[in-house]
Amino acid sequence: MSESIQGPRGVRDILPDESWKWAYVLDRAGEIARRFGYSEVKLPIFEHTELFSRGVGDTTDIVEKEMYTFTDKGGRSITLRPEMTAGMMRSYVEHTLGVPGGNPAKLWGAGPMFRYERPQKGRYRQFWQLDYEEVGSESPLVDVEVIMTAIELFRTLGMRNLEVVINSVGCPKCRPVYREKLVGYLKGHFDELCDTCKSRLDRNPLRVLDCKEDHEIVAGAPDIFDSLCDECAEHFKAVTDGLTRLGIKYTIDKTLVRGLDYYTKTAFEVKSGDLGAQSAVCGGGRYDNLSESIGGPHVPSVGFAAGLDRVILVMDEQGCSFGSAPALDAYVVCPDPAARLNAMELMYELRRAGLKADMDYAGRGMKAQMKTAVASGAKAACILGGDEAARGVVAVRDLTKAEQAEVPAGEVCARVAELAGRQ
Ligand code: AMP
């Protein structure tokens, strides 16, 4: 016999003991979106490769090393989306979802992303993001609103011990000035840099700033704030003033540059103390030039993506509530093979009455079925054998109090609803 096939490395099955938690978090994410005025866009999972190579940036790790790219049967280069922002912008431009300069179009979405990364705790090759974008506004207050959205999402989920880290990465006017200063400095320390940073020096020197190995060199690097143009400096001040006014605590980290080229001005992350190496639960910022880099008009925008897998890891770690675990209202117990269709009829009736009901299909004995009823978390067991069927009754057992009484068939739904507290 050949070996059974397993899932590919870096991807996971979200199994029943976890999937209900995902549903809970996705519900809360949708609620926050509605409360804050975001509308959902369900984007495709694959796009033209060019969207990401031009949007995210040719020299980023994502585009250089991590994309799942293939040629489809029509000869087109297709990529499984590694992130959602570029797709959101494509959609905004393609369908004219707003007017730049007016109020921003607030768009959100959720779904799986794909990156060929080295798998570890909190880092997978298929992972989910909750993505919130405000497209078409230059106002620093919109940056504040986006950060407020992230904070409120995590607060609603009961997450604690989080830190907002913020920086400005400048704009096409002032970043080249900083880049030049930085490259000059780093060249003076070339021999001390790690191999990855040596190769980054020409292509993407700002990424050296968030290198985990070259701490000491980074600590002595020129300060990006000394190079910001007036517009970027004022924007940053307005964002931090807004956060302060709203009581949203933040830390400025001048080495925060993020792995995507499209960021301008604000870059931010929310980090958790309970995640180990992969500490970011969300990352985002302003991307005023993304639209132009994918062939669209000037559409200044800001947004963030939260990693759903990591959010759930943190919530589990912190003992946060996911609402109540799924449980049945009633389990229909039928020890008599001749009455199984009666049992099925009853189960169907319970379900049509809006109750969660299930039954035994394995033809097991009374004891085994009762055990399953208890394990299912059901509040009631509805015992229906040939004798009960003939008399038009069902024995309804209150599994919480271990009390049992016969109920006329027509009153079973009401009785179960009462026991399940669903009236
Ligand atoms: P990014 O799109 O790189 O800005 O990432 C935004 C968020 O997505 C991060 O803060 C993480 O929470 C999450 N994330 C990114 N990459 C992965 C991954 N490989 N596995 C799990 N979560 C990820």
Side-chain angles (χ1 to χ4, degrees), residues 332 334 336-349 359 384-386 388-390 394:
V332 181
C334 178
D336 181 352
R340 287 172 85 194
L341 267 178
N342 296 72
M344 198 162 201
E345 236 174 1
L346 173 61
M347 176 181 74
Y348 191 21
E349 204 180 316
M359 66 178 273
L384 177 59
E388 285 85 359
V394 174

PDB file of all heavy atoms in Angstrom, residues 332 334 336-349 359 384-386 388-390 394:
ATOM      1  N   VAL A 332     -31.020  12.916  20.039  1.00  0.00           N
ATOM      2  CA  VAL A 332     -32.132  11.969  19.979  1.00  0.00           C
ATOM      3  C   VAL A 332     -31.581  10.552  20.154  1.00  0.00           C
ATOM      4  O   VAL A 332     -30.738  10.097  19.371  1.00  0.00           O
ATOM      5  CB  VAL A 332     -32.900  12.092  18.641  1.00  0.00           C
ATOM      6  CG1 VAL A 332     -34.063  11.109  18.600  1.00  0.00           C
ATOM      7  CG2 VAL A 332     -33.401  13.527  18.446  1.00  0.00           C
ATOM      8  N   CYS A 334     -32.184   6.582  20.298  1.00  0.00           N
ATOM      9  CA  CYS A 334     -33.153   5.599  19.810  1.00  0.00           C
ATOM     10  C   CYS A 334     -32.561   4.198  19.919  1.00  0.00           C
ATOM     11  O   CYS A 334     -31.790   3.772  19.072  1.00  0.00           O
ATOM     12  CB  CYS A 334     -33.520   5.909  18.358  1.00  0.00           C
ATOM     13  SG  CYS A 334     -34.658   4.701  17.687  1.00  0.00           S
ATOM     14  N   ASP A 336     -34.043   1.424  19.656  1.00  0.00           N
ATOM     15  CA  ASP A 336     -34.859   0.421  18.957  1.00  0.00           C
ATOM     16  C   ASP A 336     -34.706   0.588  17.439  1.00  0.00           C
ATOM     17  O   ASP A 336     -35.209   1.561  16.868  1.00  0.00           O
ATOM     18  CB  ASP A 336     -36.328   0.670  19.381  1.00  0.00           C
ATOM     19  CG  ASP A 336     -37.279  -0.324  18.727  1.00  0.00           C
ATOM     20  OD1 ASP A 336     -36.830  -1.090  17.842  1.00  0.00           O
ATOM     21  OD2 ASP A 336     -38.460  -0.297  19.106  1.00  0.00           O
ATOM     22  N   PRO A 337     -34.004  -0.355  16.769  1.00  0.00           N
ATOM     23  CA  PRO A 337     -33.745  -0.210  15.327  1.00  0.00           C
ATOM     24  C   PRO A 337     -35.022   0.056  14.533  1.00  0.00           C
ATOM     25  O   PRO A 337     -35.008   0.808  13.563  1.00  0.00           O
ATOM     26  CB  PRO A 337     -33.127  -1.540  14.915  1.00  0.00           C
ATOM     27  CG  PRO A 337     -32.630  -2.137  16.182  1.00  0.00           C
ATOM     28  CD  PRO A 337     -33.478  -1.606  17.308  1.00  0.00           C
ATOM     29  N   ALA A 338     -36.155  -0.493  14.978  1.00  0.00           N
ATOM     30  CA  ALA A 338     -37.402  -0.337  14.223  1.00  0.00           C
ATOM     31  C   ALA A 338     -37.944   1.096  14.295  1.00  0.00           C
ATOM     32  O   ALA A 338     -38.781   1.481  13.483  1.00  0.00           O
ATOM     33  CB  ALA A 338     -38.443  -1.318  14.760  1.00  0.00           C
ATOM     34  N   ALA A 339     -37.471   1.865  15.273  1.00  0.00           N
ATOM     35  CA  ALA A 339     -38.024   3.222  15.454  1.00  0.00           C
ATOM     36  C   ALA A 339     -37.073   4.312  14.943  1.00  0.00           C
ATOM     37  O   ALA A 339     -37.267   5.493  15.211  1.00  0.00           O
ATOM     38  CB  ALA A 339     -38.352   3.453  16.926  1.00  0.00           C
ATOM     39  N   ARG A 340     -36.048   3.914  14.192  1.00  0.00           N
ATOM     40  CA  ARG A 340     -35.029   4.922  13.828  1.00  0.00           C
ATOM     41  C   ARG A 340     -35.564   6.013  12.901  1.00  0.00           C
ATOM     42  O   ARG A 340     -35.137   7.148  12.950  1.00  0.00           O
ATOM     43  CB  ARG A 340     -33.801   4.234  13.244  1.00  0.00           C
ATOM     44  CG  ARG A 340     -33.031   3.543  14.366  1.00  0.00           C
ATOM     45  CD  ARG A 340     -31.929   2.694  13.842  1.00  0.00           C
ATOM     46  NE  ARG A 340     -30.743   3.498  13.623  1.00  0.00           N
ATOM     47  CZ  ARG A 340     -29.713   3.074  12.920  1.00  0.00           C
ATOM     48  NH1 ARG A 340     -29.744   1.888  12.348  1.00  0.00           N
ATOM     49  NH2 ARG A 340     -28.661   3.832  12.791  1.00  0.00           N
ATOM     50  N   LEU A 341     -36.511   5.655  12.064  1.00  0.00           N
ATOM     51  CA  LEU A 341     -37.084   6.717  11.218  1.00  0.00           C
ATOM     52  C   LEU A 341     -37.944   7.677  12.031  1.00  0.00           C
ATOM     53  O   LEU A 341     -37.997   8.869  11.734  1.00  0.00           O
ATOM     54  CB  LEU A 341     -37.887   6.118  10.067  1.00  0.00           C
ATOM     55  CG  LEU A 341     -37.077   5.940   8.774  1.00  0.00           C
ATOM     56  CD1 LEU A 341     -37.930   5.293   7.683  1.00  0.00           C
ATOM     57  CD2 LEU A 341     -36.488   7.253   8.272  1.00  0.00           C
ATOM     58  N   ASN A 342     -38.591   7.147  13.105  1.00  0.00           N
ATOM     59  CA  ASN A 342     -39.324   8.048  14.007  1.00  0.00           C
ATOM     60  C   ASN A 342     -38.340   9.036  14.641  1.00  0.00           C
ATOM     61  O   ASN A 342     -38.631  10.221  14.766  1.00  0.00           O
ATOM     62  CB  ASN A 342     -40.008   7.256  15.133  1.00  0.00           C
ATOM     63  CG  ASN A 342     -41.061   6.308  14.607  1.00  0.00           C
ATOM     64  OD1 ASN A 342     -40.729   5.290  13.992  1.00  0.00           O
ATOM     65  ND2 ASN A 342     -42.318   6.644  14.825  1.00  0.00           N
ATOM     66  N   ALA A 343     -37.163   8.486  15.026  1.00  0.00           N
ATOM     67  CA  ALA A 343     -36.146   9.338  15.654  1.00  0.00           C
ATOM     68  C   ALA A 343     -35.668  10.409  14.672  1.00  0.00           C
ATOM     69  O   ALA A 343     -35.502  11.575  15.022  1.00  0.00           O
ATOM     70  CB  ALA A 343     -34.972   8.482  16.118  1.00  0.00           C
ATOM     71  N   MET A 344     -35.497   9.979  13.431  1.00  0.00           N
ATOM     72  CA  MET A 344     -35.018  10.931  12.428  1.00  0.00           C
ATOM     73  C   MET A 344     -36.054  12.040  12.186  1.00  0.00           C
ATOM     74  O   MET A 344     -35.706  13.225  12.037  1.00  0.00           O
ATOM     75  CB  MET A 344     -34.725  10.188  11.129  1.00  0.00           C
ATOM     76  CG  MET A 344     -33.854  10.989  10.217  1.00  0.00           C
ATOM     77  SD  MET A 344     -33.125   9.918   8.983  1.00  0.00           S
ATOM     78  CE  MET A 344     -31.732  10.925   8.516  1.00  0.00           C
ATOM     79  N   GLU A 345     -37.318  11.631  12.173  1.00  0.00           N
ATOM     80  CA  GLU A 345     -38.408  12.604  12.011  1.00  0.00           C
ATOM     81  C   GLU A 345     -38.388  13.638  13.132  1.00  0.00           C
ATOM     82  O   GLU A 345     -38.515  14.834  12.906  1.00  0.00           O
ATOM     83  CB  GLU A 345     -39.744  11.852  12.085  1.00  0.00           C
ATOM     84  CG  GLU A 345     -40.621  12.048  10.898  1.00  0.00           C
ATOM     85  CD  GLU A 345     -41.864  11.134  10.996  1.00  0.00           C
ATOM     86  OE1 GLU A 345     -42.021  10.377  11.988  1.00  0.00           O
ATOM     87  OE2 GLU A 345     -42.659  11.189  10.082  1.00  0.00           O
ATOM     88  N   LEU A 346     -38.188  13.142  14.369  1.00  0.00           N
ATOM     89  CA  LEU A 346     -38.147  14.037  15.530  1.00  0.00           C
ATOM     90  C   LEU A 346     -36.956  14.996  15.419  1.00  0.00           C
ATOM     91  O   LEU A 346     -37.077  16.194  15.657  1.00  0.00           O
ATOM     92  CB  LEU A 346     -38.061  13.214  16.826  1.00  0.00           C
ATOM     93  CG  LEU A 346     -37.831  14.040  18.097  1.00  0.00           C
ATOM     94  CD1 LEU A 346     -38.974  15.026  18.340  1.00  0.00           C
ATOM     95  CD2 LEU A 346     -37.664  13.122  19.322  1.00  0.00           C
ATOM     96  N   MET A 347     -35.815  14.432  15.021  1.00  0.00           N
ATOM     97  CA  MET A 347     -34.614  15.269  14.895  1.00  0.00           C
ATOM     98  C   MET A 347     -34.858  16.390  13.865  1.00  0.00           C
ATOM     99  O   MET A 347     -34.496  17.554  14.080  1.00  0.00           O
ATOM    100  CB  MET A 347     -33.427  14.408  14.461  1.00  0.00           C
ATOM    101  CG  MET A 347     -32.167  15.205  14.209  1.00  0.00           C
ATOM    102  SD  MET A 347     -30.825  14.134  13.670  1.00  0.00           S
ATOM    103  CE  MET A 347     -31.353  13.772  11.988  1.00  0.00           C
ATOM    104  N   TYR A 348     -35.502  16.019  12.759  1.00  0.00           N
ATOM    105  CA  TYR A 348     -35.776  16.999  11.694  1.00  0.00           C
ATOM    106  C   TYR A 348     -36.703  18.102  12.218  1.00  0.00           C
ATOM    107  O   TYR A 348     -36.498  19.291  11.974  1.00  0.00           O
ATOM    108  CB  TYR A 348     -36.410  16.250  10.511  1.00  0.00           C
ATOM    109  CG  TYR A 348     -36.518  17.055   9.220  1.00  0.00           C
ATOM    110  CD1 TYR A 348     -35.727  18.165   8.964  1.00  0.00           C
ATOM    111  CD2 TYR A 348     -37.427  16.659   8.233  1.00  0.00           C
ATOM    112  CE1 TYR A 348     -35.841  18.873   7.770  1.00  0.00           C
ATOM    113  CE2 TYR A 348     -37.546  17.359   7.039  1.00  0.00           C
ATOM    114  CZ  TYR A 348     -36.749  18.476   6.823  1.00  0.00           C
ATOM    115  OH  TYR A 348     -36.871  19.161   5.643  1.00  0.00           O
ATOM    116  N   GLU A 349     -37.699  17.667  13.007  1.00  0.00           N
ATOM    117  CA  GLU A 349     -38.643  18.635  13.576  1.00  0.00           C
ATOM    118  C   GLU A 349     -37.919  19.614  14.515  1.00  0.00           C
ATOM    119  O   GLU A 349     -38.161  20.830  14.466  1.00  0.00           O
ATOM    120  CB  GLU A 349     -39.692  17.851  14.367  1.00  0.00           C
ATOM    121  CG  GLU A 349     -41.010  18.576  14.517  1.00  0.00           C
ATOM    122  CD  GLU A 349     -41.989  17.721  15.326  1.00  0.00           C
ATOM    123  OE1 GLU A 349     -42.064  16.507  15.062  1.00  0.00           O
ATOM    124  OE2 GLU A 349     -42.628  18.286  16.233  1.00  0.00           O
ATOM    125  N   MET A 359     -28.383  12.710  16.106  1.00  0.00           N
ATOM    126  CA  MET A 359     -28.817  11.385  16.577  1.00  0.00           C
ATOM    127  C   MET A 359     -27.762  10.333  16.242  1.00  0.00           C
ATOM    128  O   MET A 359     -26.769  10.633  15.579  1.00  0.00           O
ATOM    129  CB  MET A 359     -30.159  11.004  15.928  1.00  0.00           C
ATOM    130  CG  MET A 359     -30.085  10.803  14.426  1.00  0.00           C
ATOM    131  SD  MET A 359     -31.675  10.306  13.697  1.00  0.00           S
ATOM    132  CE  MET A 359     -31.604   8.531  13.885  1.00  0.00           C
ATOM    133  N   LEU A 384     -36.488   7.938  22.270  1.00  0.00           N
ATOM    134  CA  LEU A 384     -37.649   7.545  21.463  1.00  0.00           C
ATOM    135  C   LEU A 384     -37.449   6.128  20.946  1.00  0.00           C
ATOM    136  O   LEU A 384     -36.701   5.901  19.990  1.00  0.00           O
ATOM    137  CB  LEU A 384     -37.801   8.541  20.292  1.00  0.00           C
ATOM    138  CG  LEU A 384     -38.889   8.299  19.273  1.00  0.00           C
ATOM    139  CD1 LEU A 384     -40.261   8.279  19.931  1.00  0.00           C
ATOM    140  CD2 LEU A 384     -38.869   9.382  18.204  1.00  0.00           C
ATOM    141  N   GLY A 385     -38.110   5.130  21.614  1.00  0.00           N
ATOM    142  CA  GLY A 385     -38.079   3.755  21.151  1.00  0.00           C
ATOM    143  C   GLY A 385     -39.428   3.410  20.530  1.00  0.00           C
ATOM    144  O   GLY A 385     -40.313   4.272  20.409  1.00  0.00           O
ATOM    145  N   GLY A 386     -39.588   2.124  20.172  1.00  0.00           N
ATOM    146  CA  GLY A 386     -40.838   1.677  19.542  1.00  0.00           C
ATOM    147  C   GLY A 386     -42.035   1.917  20.448  1.00  0.00           C
ATOM    148  O   GLY A 386     -43.107   2.346  19.994  1.00  0.00           O
ATOM    149  N   GLU A 388     -42.441   4.232  22.897  1.00  0.00           N
ATOM    150  CA  GLU A 388     -42.804   5.662  22.940  1.00  0.00           C
ATOM    151  C   GLU A 388     -43.478   6.074  21.641  1.00  0.00           C
ATOM    152  O   GLU A 388     -44.504   6.789  21.654  1.00  0.00           O
ATOM    153  CB  GLU A 388     -41.561   6.551  23.180  1.00  0.00           C
ATOM    154  CG  GLU A 388     -41.018   6.547  24.595  1.00  0.00           C
ATOM    155  CD  GLU A 388     -40.062   5.398  24.874  1.00  0.00           C
ATOM    156  OE1 GLU A 388     -39.831   4.574  23.949  1.00  0.00           O
ATOM    157  OE2 GLU A 388     -39.561   5.282  26.011  1.00  0.00           O
ATOM    158  N   ALA A 389     -42.923   5.574  20.524  1.00  0.00           N
ATOM    159  CA  ALA A 389     -43.489   5.948  19.214  1.00  0.00           C
ATOM    160  C   ALA A 389     -44.949   5.514  19.132  1.00  0.00           C
ATOM    161  O   ALA A 389     -45.808   6.282  18.682  1.00  0.00           O
ATOM    162  CB  ALA A 389     -42.673   5.324  18.094  1.00  0.00           C
ATOM    163  N   ALA A 390     -45.226   4.306  19.607  1.00  0.00           N
ATOM    164  CA  ALA A 390     -46.596   3.777  19.548  1.00  0.00           C
ATOM    165  C   ALA A 390     -47.545   4.606  20.404  1.00  0.00           C
ATOM    166  O   ALA A 390     -48.716   4.805  20.059  1.00  0.00           O
ATOM    167  CB  ALA A 390     -46.600   2.317  20.006  1.00  0.00           C
ATOM    168  N   VAL A 394     -42.411  11.131  23.910  1.00  0.00           N
ATOM    169  CA  VAL A 394     -40.947  11.062  23.897  1.00  0.00           C
ATOM    170  C   VAL A 394     -40.499  11.276  25.339  1.00  0.00           C
ATOM    171  O   VAL A 394     -41.048  12.133  26.036  1.00  0.00           O
ATOM    172  CB  VAL A 394     -40.352  12.171  22.988  1.00  0.00           C
ATOM    173  CG1 VAL A 394     -38.835  12.200  23.092  1.00  0.00           C
ATOM    174  CG2 VAL A 394     -40.788  11.979  21.531  1.00  0.00           C
TER     175      VAL A 394
END
